[in-house]
Amino acid sequence: METDKAEDGVSARLADEARRWRQVKPGMSMGIMDLQLDAPIRYESRTFPAICLSVVLEGFAINNMEALEGGFCPDEVWVTSTGESVPTSMTIHADQPVRVVELLLTPHWVDDNSERMAGDASFQKMAQAMSQPLMVRRLKLDARLRQIAWSALRPPVSGAFVNEHLDACALNMLCILAEHFQATKSPAPTDRLGGKGLERMTEVRRHIDADPVAVNSLAELASCFGLSQSGLKRDFQRAFGITARDYLFERRMLIGRNAILRDRLTIAEAAYKAGYEHPGNFTAAFAKHFGYPPSRLKN
């Protein structure tokens, strides 16, 4: 998903330890990050066409780009897909162990399996996601994925069987990733948005990303681009598989979370930065979205 370059004086050895990758099949790799840092690591990266399932067991990271709010926290699952080359910058905290297990798929995996899996709907959605704009979806970590990730980090076997065990973990993660795409509502091939319509929706999304708090309503957003509100709702869903309202809400939640993690603001200050007048409303929305209260980020 990303090509990484460690900065800020981090040793080459520590940079190599930050993420170890194993190729399971052509175009399919498993990444394991398991380390305790003495100092933060900052990565300058660029994405490339791929899908990545990231299971965060422990550790905190923050994104250093206002245009791409993000970062990770413990007990999160990320599904990231893109066909774009987008610059990113992330700093991994050093105040607790960092344990992340990832499954990475590239177009090579699609090509290698296209004949065998051509009739599978999930496979088609995954292939399509690798040619679309960057999309990140966050899921709650369930017991099944948690067990697989810890098993990859702490294999119950040794010797030559370790790699066999890791490959089995990767295939289990692949099946869970396929379930996610199967459950994700996607437009029929004849209803997919393309051409100028997709370009316009990409501009709408960039407008949201630039300043989510400044978007007062979908009606106002639609008007800025010469669209009807119903047309905006329909085409945004067709383009990205998520409603414009849900996307805007998630962006505001990420602004609030980064305000606490990166900027060290109070919960009340973070609420205001995310566009909430009342911290209680922000706290309730944050807990519902992420599955934990913002006060957890203060620990």
Side-chain angles (χ1 to χ4, degrees):
M1 194 68 203
E2 298 177 338
T3 54
D4 295 330
K5 178 178 69 174
E7 296 191 343
D8 297 342
V10 179
S11 69
R13 180 190 63 78
L14 190 57
D16 289 340
E17 288 179 355
R19 185 179 294 169
R20 305 188 306 274
W21 288 100
R22 167 176 171 73
Q23 180 174 301
V24 180
K25 292 184 176 183
M28 175 180 171
S29 301
M30 169 178 274
I32 295 178
M33 188 181 298
D34 184 8
L35 72 164
Q36 176 71 62
L37 299 174
D38 295 325
I41 291 180
R42 177 174 175 174
Y43 280 100
E44 300 289 344
S45 314
R46 290 198 73 90
T47 64
F48 55 86
I51 296 173
C52 190
L53 172 66
S54 304
V55 182
V56 183
L57 297 169
E58 295 183 86
F60 287 91
I62 53 175
N63 201 297
N64 301 289
M65 299 175 61
E66 290 290 347
L68 188 63
E69 297 286 346
F72 60 71
C73 291
D75 300 326
E76 286 190 344
V77 178
W78 286 48
V79 177
T80 310
S81 61
T82 187
E84 297 179 316
S85 176
V86 178
T88 67
S89 174
M90 182 173 289
T91 299
I92 302 175
H93 289 199
D95 50 3
Q96 66 171 274
V98 181
R99 296 187 173 100
V100 181
V101 178
E102 298 177 288
L103 179 72
L104 179 71
L105 303 175
T106 70
H108 190 176
W109 175 80
V110 174
D111 294 340
D112 199 56
N113 291 276
S114 59
E115 183 175 346
R116 182 173 63 89
M117 304 180 71
D120 186 88
S122 297
F123 178 82
Q124 294 299 328
K125 291 179 184 179
M126 294 163 77
Q128 182 187 3
M130 294 187 198
S131 63
Q132 293 182 331
L134 176 67
M135 180 58 65
V136 180
R137 291 183 172 88
R138 296 157 185 85
L139 312 171
K140 294 180 181 178
L141 178 58
D142 61 18
R144 183 172 50 154
L145 258 180
R146 185 191 301 276
Q147 181 179 14
I148 294 171
W150 274 115
S151 185
L153 282 164
R154 304 288 185 265
V157 294
S158 59
F161 286 96
V162 170
N163 288 339
E164 300 295 328
H165 174 77
L166 292 177
D167 289 352
C169 290
L171 290 173
N172 282 330
M173 291 177 69
L174 175 63
C175 291
I176 292 174
L177 183 61
E179 289 176 12
H180 167 76
F181 277 90
Q182 185 176 33
T184 301
K185 185 177 180 181
S186 181
T190 56
D191 194 38
R192 288 173 186 160
L193 194 65
K196 292 184 178 179
L198 180 58
E199 291 178 7
R200 177 174 287 186
M201 288 303 104
T202 300
E203 287 301 314
V204 170
R205 200 179 76 168
R206 287 173 181 160
H207 181 82
I208 295 174
D209 291 342
D211 191 357
V213 177
V215 180
N216 296 315
S217 68
L218 292 185
E220 179 182 295
L221 180 63
S223 179
C224 287
F225 288 87
L227 300 166
S228 66
Q229 188 172 345
S230 61
L232 171 64
K233 291 179 179 178
R234 180 193 64 242
D235 288 351
F236 199 94
Q237 174 81 46
R238 290 171 63 194
F240 305 116
I242 186 174
T243 67
R245 187 179 302 279
D246 287 345
Y247 185 77
L248 177 60
F249 172 73
E250 180 173 275
R251 296 286 295 145
R252 287 181 172 176
M253 289 295 98
L254 287 173
I255 286 176
R257 191 173 76 169
N258 269 9
I260 298 171
L261 274 176
R262 182 184 60 207
D263 303 330
R264 304 297 183 184
L265 299 185
T266 66
I267 292 175
E269 290 170 333
Y272 179 76
K273 190 171 182 179
Y276 284 78
E277 294 183 4
H278 303 291
N281 292 342
F282 169 74
T283 296
F286 188 102
K288 182 177 181 181
H289 184 67
F290 290 112
Y292 54 84
S295 57
R296 173 176 170 178
L297 303 180
K298 290 291 187 179
N299 297 334

